[in-house]
Amino acid sequence: MNISKRNKKVALSRWSKIHSKEVAKILNTEEGLILKSKICGFLAGDGSVQVRKDKKGFYHYQLDFFADDEIMKQTYINLISTVYNKMPSCVIRDNCIHARLTSKTIVQDLIKLADFSTKKWTLPYSLFHINGTIEKWLNGFFSAEAYVSDKQIRIQTINKEGMLQVSELLTKIDIKNRTYYYSSKKINESDVTIIVIGKKDSRLKFLNIVGFSHSKKNSKLAKSLNL
């Protein structure tokens, strides 16, 4: 065995031990799985979970979350710290808080639960048998993606299949909603699927059951309901 191969074998052995210790620290209790569901919602809305291979054949595992609200940022960081015992680094770019973490352990754990790509994000259905996970996922996703006005909660993405599943989740917890479709006349723009929660009693139920981990959205919704 040459020196290069021996060094690689030693490095892999060392990493395997570190990885095993990190996996053992993941909070996989019922509480931890409920929190994971919310992490998945955040990342489906405004995150990026990447596995990249460089020119030398090495894989890089990166987790990014983009928050436009201090409460949302801190909630996300607390979730990652509680579930995975790691702390993202944060910088502000273009008036957005960018939380980044490089971790093979976390990325591999999350991609077993869902897809986080922009056009084909999926829901972590394997978690939804646990009470509270649906509400937590919706909280994370709507906190990242929703727009709140005086008359409605509105959310839109280009992922039609995912949005139909979101609508089904809302209906499952008895929050009435409507789904609309918009096709742009511009060739380079994708079709959009829109979910609207418009009725006052439905918005109130959303506030009480799901809510936002976003100070401005939560405050605006409460104000629109005269609370």
Side-chain angles (χ1 to χ4, degrees):
M1 182 183 293
N2 61 38
I3 294 176
S4 178
K5 287 184 178 179
R6 187 173 67 231
N7 288 344
K8 185 176 182 180
K9 187 176 181 180
V10 170
L12 288 172
S13 176
R14 186 183 301 118
W15 160 245
S16 180
K17 292 178 182 178
I18 294 171
H19 182 61
S20 295
K21 289 180 180 179
E22 290 185 349
V23 169
K25 290 181 180 179
I26 297 175
L27 186 64
N28 278 321
T29 60
E30 183 173 292
E31 175 195 0
L33 297 178
I34 292 172
L35 298 181
K36 274 190 195 182
S37 188
K38 186 165 179 172
I39 292 173
C40 289
F42 271 141
L43 293 171
D46 259 331
S48 172
V49 183
Q50 298 182 48
V51 181
R52 301 193 313 275
K53 187 177 182 180
D54 65 20
K55 294 180 180 180
K56 295 182 179 179
F58 292 102
Y59 287 92
H60 300 272
Y61 300 81
Q62 189 170 300
L63 188 70
D64 293 289
F65 181 62
F66 310 96
D68 63 352
D69 179 81
E70 182 66 26
I71 295 296
M72 186 164 68
K73 178 213 76 173
Q74 196 56 52
T75 300
Y76 172 77
I77 288 175
N78 290 343
L79 288 169
I80 294 294
S81 176
T82 301
V83 176
Y84 294 109
N85 196 37
K86 286 184 177 290
M87 189 68 65
S89 62
C90 294
V91 297
I92 297 177
R93 295 175 184 167
D94 301 322
N95 297 318
C96 180
I97 304 166
H98 183 176
R100 170 170 290 181
L101 189 59
T102 301
S103 172
K104 180 178 179 179
T105 302
I106 298 178
V107 170
Q108 286 187 334
D109 189 60
L110 288 171
I111 60 178
K112 288 188 296 185
L113 298 172
D115 187 331
F116 298 94
S117 56
T118 301
K119 295 181 179 180
K120 296 182 178 180
W121 48 263
T122 60
L123 287 66
Y125 278 104
S126 63
L127 299 178
F128 288 167
H129 66 284
I130 301 171
N131 288 336
T133 50
I134 289 176
E135 292 83 354
K136 289 296 184 183
W137 188 91
L138 289 169
N139 176 286
F141 186 67
F142 273 75
S143 294
E145 284 283 1
Y147 168 77
V148 181
S149 70
D150 292 338
K151 298 294 183 180
Q152 62 181 223
I153 301 168
R154 177 187 176 99
I155 194 164
Q156 64 182 57
T157 81
I158 60 176
N159 182 355
K160 180 179 179 180
E161 184 177 350
M163 290 289 278
L164 292 176
Q165 292 170 349
V166 172
S167 178
E168 289 175 359
L169 287 188
L170 290 168
T171 301
K172 186 173 183 177
I173 59 174
D174 199 28
I175 295 176
K176 293 179 181 179
N177 63 96
R178 291 188 177 183
T179 304
Y180 302 90
Y181 305 99
Y182 172 75
S183 295
S184 175
K185 294 180 180 179
K186 297 180 180 179
I187 298 175
N188 61 338
E189 289 188 359
S190 300
D191 294 345
V192 172
T193 302
I194 303 164
I195 293 174
V196 173
I197 303 172
K199 291 186 176 181
K200 187 173 182 179
D201 60 339
S202 296
R203 288 183 286 130
L204 178 60
K205 188 169 289 186
F206 182 93
L207 179 64
N208 291 332
I209 297 176
V210 177
F212 291 105
S213 294
H214 189 292
S215 58
K216 293 178 183 177
K217 293 176 184 179
N218 224 41
S219 176
K220 193 164 189 178
L221 178 55
K223 186 177 179 180
S224 73
L225 296 168
N226 299 317
L227 298 176

